[in-house]
Amino acid sequence: MARGRIGRSHTGDSLVRTAEARKLLGVDAAATPEAIKKAFRHLAMLWHPDRNPAPEAGEFFARLSTACEHLLESAARATAAAHASTRKTTSRGEDRHQDTELDIEHICLGGQAEVALKTSAECTVCSGEGFIASTSSQLCPHCQGSGRVRIGRELFRCEDCDGRGYTRRVRCPNCNGSGKQIDTRMLAVTVPPGVLPGDELRLLGEGFAPESGKGRPGDLHLRIKLRPHPLYTLEGSDLVLERPVSAFVLLGGGTVTVPSPGGLHHLELKPGPAVAREQVIAGAGVPARGTRAAGKLRVRLTPVLPSAPTPALIELYHALQTEVERVGHNSLPEIAAWEKRWLLGK
Ligand SMILES: [Zn+2]
Ligand SMILES: [Zn+2]
């Protein structure tokens, strides 16, 4: 895998390569040469072809070496440039992007929500060293006993064994040598009413801390998702729910009560057919936010008939049927059409 020599000037190509190299090694723009070497060392432990039997390990290790060399050269150039310039740069941590599920109540009413943030913290077992002391001295796994490691084209003293080739340090089992562990931090977030799934809340200063430890942290971008609810769904800003309703209320009209996160609503139904229908209450969905208008509350009514008739109900059904026949088939046009086609004239 031949790679061109790194350019001596900051060409566009070089800047792209710097960004790629940082991504590969997991370091940010503020990383010191020591931090770059440390990151490379940790990755090399995982990817050195002598340690990793995967077929792609060799090529990946070579990419890591090239990236490390490039960043060390860039850092050396930046240091020279800093000496020549009085311009001070303040570092800022990376922004952080995360999804978070909110209840429908938060979306409609706003309020405080607890968000779990996974953070990379110093390993508590090895205090971030990546290694713990072993009882006996053993061949240094990092340099295979040579006391030196190659980074790019240069040989460096092995930091794991201080160049001795033997070490009493073994890779930490808690962090597998990375020096980092994942902690969960709970963050109380104030949710404004009217956020929708896909919206992003930006929390200033809740992103990653700067690698150098100085400067301000990045921002946290929380992408909103709706936690599934057994009754409510969202269609855009509209709040949708289904409700069973007596077929007699659909037929004769009446009042139907439905809930919403903001409280109860009463639907006044006019007499109509006993079929499923949607009833809409404007403005009772997700509230307006910014330029976005408030949504509707859409109630999908499903007719239900009594399943356990009592003698009194049966008597009423007969009376009802007699009345329907008396006023004629206008009230049952499907039956009239069917009987005209299939019964009359037979
Ligand atoms: Zn060593
Ligand atoms: Zn550890």
Side-chain angles (χ1 to χ4, degrees):
M1 57 161 280
R3 281 204 165 231
R5 181 89 184 113
I6 310 301
R8 281 279 154 211
S9 63
H10 264 302
T11 61
D13 180 48
S14 175
L15 285 175
V16 168
R17 188 173 294 174
T18 302
E20 279 175 5
R22 281 185 190 137
K23 202 172 167 188
L24 204 58
L25 291 183
V27 297
D28 69 13
T32 58
E34 286 65 40
I36 293 166
K37 280 186 221 166
K38 188 174 179 188
F40 172 75
R41 194 158 55 80
H42 282 140
L43 286 165
M45 297 208 29
L46 301 172
W47 288 99
H48 194 287
D50 289 348
R51 307 177 61 94
N52 190 330
E56 67 274 18
E59 186 179 328
F60 192 71
F61 179 76
R63 282 180 62 200
L64 289 171
S65 299
T66 310
C68 178
E69 183 190 21
H70 174 69
L71 289 182
L72 289 175
E73 279 188 22
S74 298
R77 271 200 307 273
T79 309
H83 282 304
S85 161
T86 55
R87 190 171 61 96
K88 285 205 172 69
T89 54
T90 51
S91 65
R92 178 178 176 275
E94 301 255 334
D95 279 4
R96 178 188 184 123
H97 296 261
Q98 186 172 316
D99 288 350
T100 192
E101 274 194 342
L102 292 182
D103 291 321
I104 192 76
E105 288 79 9
H106 281 126
I107 290 194
C108 289
L109 307 173
Q112 291 274 316
E114 288 269 292
V115 174
L117 288 180
K118 295 244 182 290
T119 54
S120 175
E122 193 172 82
C123 173
T124 49
V125 172
C126 62
S127 307
E129 283 295 301
F131 297 90
I132 54 173
S134 89
T135 48
S136 61
S137 199
Q138 51 187 286
L139 194 72
C140 173
H142 184 43
C143 63
Q144 275 89 42
S146 73
R148 292 196 294 174
V149 284
R150 180 175 289 282
I151 297 178
R153 291 172 179 78
E154 255 183 285
L155 278 173
F156 291 86
R157 184 172 57 88
C158 174
E159 292 177 39
D160 285 15
C161 62
D162 271 342
R164 284 192 291 272
Y166 281 80
T167 180
R168 279 179 176 270
R169 304 196 305 165
V170 293
R171 203 193 284 204
C172 168
N174 185 48
C175 63
N176 201 26
S178 70
K180 302 235 167 105
Q181 66 184 29
I182 302 299
D183 283 351
T184 303
R185 175 164 70 97
M186 296 308 290
L187 183 68
V189 175
T190 304
V191 180
V195 294
L196 283 181
D199 284 357
E200 219 176 59
L201 294 180
R202 183 168 183 168
L203 289 110
L204 297 178
E206 298 291 354
F208 294 109
E211 181 89 356
S212 64
K214 294 190 195 99
R216 67 182 187 88
D219 298 335
L220 171 64
H221 302 256
L222 275 182
R223 196 179 159 85
I224 304 304
K225 289 180 150 189
L226 174 65
R227 183 169 293 135
H229 191 279
L231 177 62
Y232 303 110
T233 54
L234 284 180
E235 290 180 13
S237 293
D238 292 351
L239 187 61
V240 182
L241 66 89
E242 285 185 25
R243 190 208 201 283
V245 60
S246 166
F248 300 122
V249 174
L250 291 175
L251 286 167
T255 305
V256 171
T257 303
V258 290
S260 81
L264 297 180
H265 296 273
H266 305 284
L267 291 169
E268 297 300 332
L269 301 185
K270 293 196 176 78
V275 293
R277 65 170 103 144
E278 189 176 273
Q279 209 76 21
V280 169
I281 304 177
V286 177
R289 181 168 184 250
T291 56
R292 202 159 55 204
K296 310 178 194 75
L297 176 62
R298 284 158 51 183
V299 184
R300 289 176 182 160
L301 298 167
T302 318
V304 178
L305 283 163
S307 54
T310 62
L313 273 178
I314 290 169
E315 204 172 302
L316 283 168
Y317 293 157
H318 288 156
L320 201 57
Q321 182 59 25
T322 305
E323 176 61 12
V324 164
E325 283 170 12
R326 193 189 67 77
V327 297
H329 277 157
N330 282 346
S331 59
L332 297 169
E334 295 90 345
I335 294 176
W338 190 93
E339 289 184 349
K340 188 179 173 200
R341 181 168 181 191
W342 302 108
L343 292 184
L344 294 181
K346 292 274 154 65

